[in-house]
Amino acid sequence: MQFHSACLQELHDRGFIYQCTDYEKLDAAMAEGSITGYVGFDPTAKSLHVGNLVTIMMLRVFQRHGHTPIVIVGGGTAKIADPSGKDAMRRELSDDEIQENVESILSIYAQYIRFGESPSDAFVLNNDDWLKSLGYIEFLRDYGSLFTINRMLSFDSVKSRLDREQSLTFLEFNYMLLQAYDYWLLNREHNCTLQMGGSDQWGNIVNGVELIRKLNKREAFGLTAPLVTTASGEKMGKSAGNAIWLNEAQLPSYDYWQFWRNTDDKDVGRFLRMFTDLPLAEIAELEKLEGAELNKAKAILADEATKLARGEKALPAIHETVASLFKSKDTGYSLKGQDDNGNPIVETSLPVAHVPTSSFPIVVAELLVTAGLAGSKSEARRHIQAGAVKVDDAKVSDIAETATLPENHVLKLSVGKKKHAILIATQH
RNA sequence: GGAAGGAUGGCCGAGCGGUCAAAGGCAACAGACUGUAAAUCUGUCGACGUUAGUCUACGCAGGUUCGAAUCCUGCUCCUUCCA
């Protein structure tokens, strides 16, 4: 597809476009000048994971081309919970929880998008500000009259819930009206003419576009991104049963880097386009790599993605650990002398756990639990029986095996090839 | 308000008095092979315990029984139909 607007062209080339309400008119509007567009998120979780990254990156491209992003915090809608893509009703959140989530999530957005006062700087609005004061009767009369149940029932989010014989409350059913109202309000107050979101938002977005057309007599647009799945068809964002969180508090940068490093061969090009700022020509070159050579592209993907989420400063430590661990098959840490208590100072991006020196010699299974590599002692034993456990790269074959205090008071524990932890024996 | 059906491990889903820590599938974890990839094959997959075994678990609370995921009673929630 060819566009006049460089922004839309890039969004398209990088694979961000799934559906659009009107390609031609949106293209014309974006080519003509700077427009304002928004995405919304509901602060129903503490943090965002890589699954949420698609729309964030979309907004980033949008801003890079001189357009103005608005981020809507769904403080009001969070009280309702969007039924789209959800099997069952979510529990209600307290105001405090919501506020906490908002702050944590906005700090993540700030990594990717420039907020401020200058033109094309993004700004944040909380839909609770206007939704909380909506009068029920007025709302029903002024906006409810513009929606038909017939149409609402035809939306996928609603249909799938009904088809699966799961309840859909009236509260949730109203979600789409409120989202449409948000868009309408932004259109009127901030001349916002584009709403972006995941493909599951299509129905909600279209409602807003229609509401704007009916009430403001203006054209507004909707643009959705495809649901990003991995080559094996998995919804993106989980690994080893854990979500890949974007913030460091919930996922160490080393693990974040590893997530990208372990990308499926088939996903490398696509992910480079969506989740890094690298020029498309460069990505095309990287994509040509074959076989083991592709690992270079994966490392670049990991670097770029980590740089965005965690900042450039996170990289050196990760690189050092990776080089030690995988390239020279070394320990994965380096010693930097001793502290005042005579305990070793260790530099590594692997998880670190402390054990008092007095507890040595200690059963390896127990160490695995302290280091967080096993959830229970039984699990630790199972790992040992499966031949997965190593202490300082020496295989542990007996579940009763003990580890003795190493001379430098540091040892590396491994479960499998990729999961490691550093244990430091401390005096106090 | 009435009637019928349902609730099982992370998810789906079988079981319908003992042989049930509960088939099968998915997901996950580990091993082998590789390139920190995929595919494939193998093993593991409630907790504690070296084994024996103990404990906790089939929506919640009671009961019947030598014995209950399975039967009975009450409750909660869900779905469908009628009003």
Side-chain angles (χ1 to χ4, degrees), chain A residues 143-163:
Chain A
Y143 307 98
S145 57
L146 299 170
F147 293 84
T148 65
I149 295 286
N150 313 52
R151 182 133 170 71
M152 286 168 78
L153 284 173
S154 74
F155 284 105
D156 273 354
S157 56
V158 172
K159 240 178 12 194
S160 67
R161 276 285 268 281
L162 297 178
D163 287 348

Side-chain angles (χ1 to χ4, degrees), chain A residues 131-145 170-171 174 177-178:
Chain A
L131 292 182
K132 69 175 174 218
S133 53
L134 271 183
Y136 189 58
I137 299 294
E138 287 78 11
F139 181 76
L140 285 183
R141 186 193 56 208
D142 295 343
Y143 307 98
S145 57
F170 184 64
L171 179 76
N174 274 276
L177 295 198
L178 293 178

Side-chain angles (χ1 to χ4, degrees), chain A residues 130-346:
Chain A
W130 55 82
L131 292 182
K132 69 175 174 218
S133 53
L134 271 183
Y136 189 58
I137 299 294
E138 287 78 11
F139 181 76
L140 285 183
R141 186 193 56 208
D142 295 343
Y143 307 98
S145 57
L146 299 170
F147 293 84
T148 65
I149 295 286
N150 313 52
R151 182 133 170 71
M152 286 168 78
L153 284 173
S154 74
F155 284 105
D156 273 354
S157 56
V158 172
K159 240 178 12 194
S160 67
R161 276 285 268 281
L162 297 178
D163 287 348
R164 297 195 57 181
E165 299 193 346
Q166 272 157 345
S167 70
L168 177 72
T169 62
F170 184 64
L171 179 76
E172 294 172 287
F173 192 54
N174 274 276
Y175 186 91
M176 62 172 86
L177 295 198
L178 293 178
Q179 190 169 332
Y181 179 81
D182 280 354
Y183 191 8
W184 169 78
L185 193 98
L186 289 174
N187 180 263
R188 201 188 61 180
E189 303 291 321
H190 298 279
N191 195 26
C192 174
T193 49
L194 176 65
Q195 180 179 179
M196 292 168 278
S199 56
D200 57 334
Q201 295 297 310
W202 181 250
N204 295 339
I205 293 173
V206 168
N207 271 327
V209 169
E210 285 178 4
L211 189 64
I212 290 167
R213 186 159 45 220
K214 282 177 187 161
L215 286 177
N216 297 3
K217 309 275 186 262
R218 300 177 57 183
E219 188 85 40
F221 306 97
L223 190 63
T224 58
L227 177 70
V228 178
T229 53
T230 63
S232 44
E234 291 295 308
K235 199 168 170 178
M236 220 182 138
K238 297 236 168 146
S239 157
N242 300 311
I244 301 301
W245 300 108
L246 295 178
N247 62 341
E248 185 155 14
Q250 284 182 74
L251 186 78
S253 295
Y254 175 78
D255 294 326
Y256 188 76
W257 192 91
Q258 283 295 335
F259 167 77
W260 294 103
R261 174 57 249 267
N262 285 309
T263 297
D264 193 314
D265 282 11
K266 299 185 208 102
D267 289 329
V268 174
R270 198 159 51 106
F271 286 4
L272 277 167
R273 276 189 291 276
M274 296 187 96
F275 302 117
T276 75
D277 291 338
L278 292 180
L280 288 161
E282 200 174 315
I283 293 172
E285 286 304 310
L286 288 170
E287 237 180 333
K288 283 189 195 142
L289 297 172
E290 280 182 26
E293 285 292 294
L294 202 52
N295 283 336
K296 285 180 191 152
K298 291 185 190 179
I300 292 171
L301 170 63
D303 278 356
E304 293 297 316
T306 307
K307 214 192 290 179
L308 286 174
R310 308 297 173 83
E312 185 128 30
K313 60 188 185 316
L315 290 179
I318 295 170
H319 286 162
E320 199 176 315
T321 302
V322 168
S324 167
L325 217 50
F326 291 100
K327 301 248 168 59
S328 53
K329 302 283 175 206
D330 205 352
T331 49
Y333 65 86
S334 51
L335 282 172
K336 303 280 176 196
Q338 295 185 327
D339 67 14
D340 298 344
N341 291 327
N343 294 322
I345 299 171
V346 173

Side-chain angles (χ1 to χ4, degrees), chain A residues 115-132:
Chain A
F115 290 89
E117 303 291 328
S118 316
S120 94
D121 276 356
F123 57 96
V124 181
L125 298 171
N126 188 334
N127 66 11
D128 196 38
D129 292 345
W130 55 82
L131 292 182
K132 69 175 174 218

